Amino acid sequence: MGILSKLFGTGPDSAYKTCIKFYEKAKRKRPGKSERDYLKLVLLTKPPYDYQSDSAIDMLLEEFDTIEDLASFIANGQESYNRESQKDVWESRERNIKLSPKVKKRNEMFFREFWG
């Protein structure tokens, strides 16, 4: 891990903790939502997962159905974001940002419904 990651907390440990804290804050501020909604909220706030297709989001939420599993997945992805394994996810995100305004609207609607 680089010195900047250590200084600014951008490593996998920091990403994991951030996911957990955000999840806990959402549960405190908006109790009564479904577990899937809390997990989706965390996922949609973490690039490159924020601009993935509905099917990709659903697949991730099926596979990672606890905050610990999802946070580990996100942290491990952040750790390896320059690696070949994450290249397709980042390219998909860039493509979806440019070509799919409905993904942005989906995110906006979800956030509005969740926090509203």
Side-chain angles (χ1 to χ4, degrees):
M1 186 181 309
I3 192 161
L4 291 177
S5 294
K6 289 180 181 176
L7 287 174
F8 296 107
T10 59
D13 288 344
S14 178
Y16 181 87
K17 289 176 186 174
T18 300
C19 290
I20 298 293
K21 286 180 184 176
F22 188 63
Y23 170 86
E24 290 171 347
K25 182 179 181 179
K27 285 196 96 155
R28 275 192 316 275
K29 292 197 176 242
R30 290 289 186 235
K33 300 285 185 180
S34 72
E35 185 66 15
R36 187 176 176 91
D37 282 347
Y38 294 118
L39 296 175
K40 186 174 182 179
L41 180 68
V42 171
L43 191 60
L44 292 181
T45 60
K46 297 295 177 193
Y49 312 107
D50 54 345
Y51 280 91
Q52 298 303 317
S53 68
D54 289 335
S55 60
I57 295 293
D58 288 340
M59 181 189 72
L60 290 170
L61 293 174
E62 288 292 322
E63 187 171 346
F64 305 105
D65 59 353
T66 67
I67 186 57
E68 293 81 10
D69 290 345
L70 184 62
S72 291
F73 171 75
I74 290 169
N76 290 335
Q78 185 174 2
E79 179 182 29
S80 63
Y81 77 93
N82 283 327
R83 294 188 192 144
E84 203 62 32
S85 64
Q86 291 290 308
K87 184 179 177 186
D88 291 340
V89 178
W90 283 97
E91 287 175 354
S92 174
R93 179 182 190 267
E94 292 300 317
R95 185 176 56 252
N96 288 341
I97 287 173
K98 291 177 185 173
L99 302 176
S100 186
K102 68 181 181 178
V103 173
K104 182 178 179 182
K105 288 188 186 300
R106 176 210 57 203
N107 291 357
E108 289 171 355
M109 280 180 37
F110 177 79
F111 293 139
R112 196 172 320 126
E113 288 174 14
F114 188 93
W115 294 112

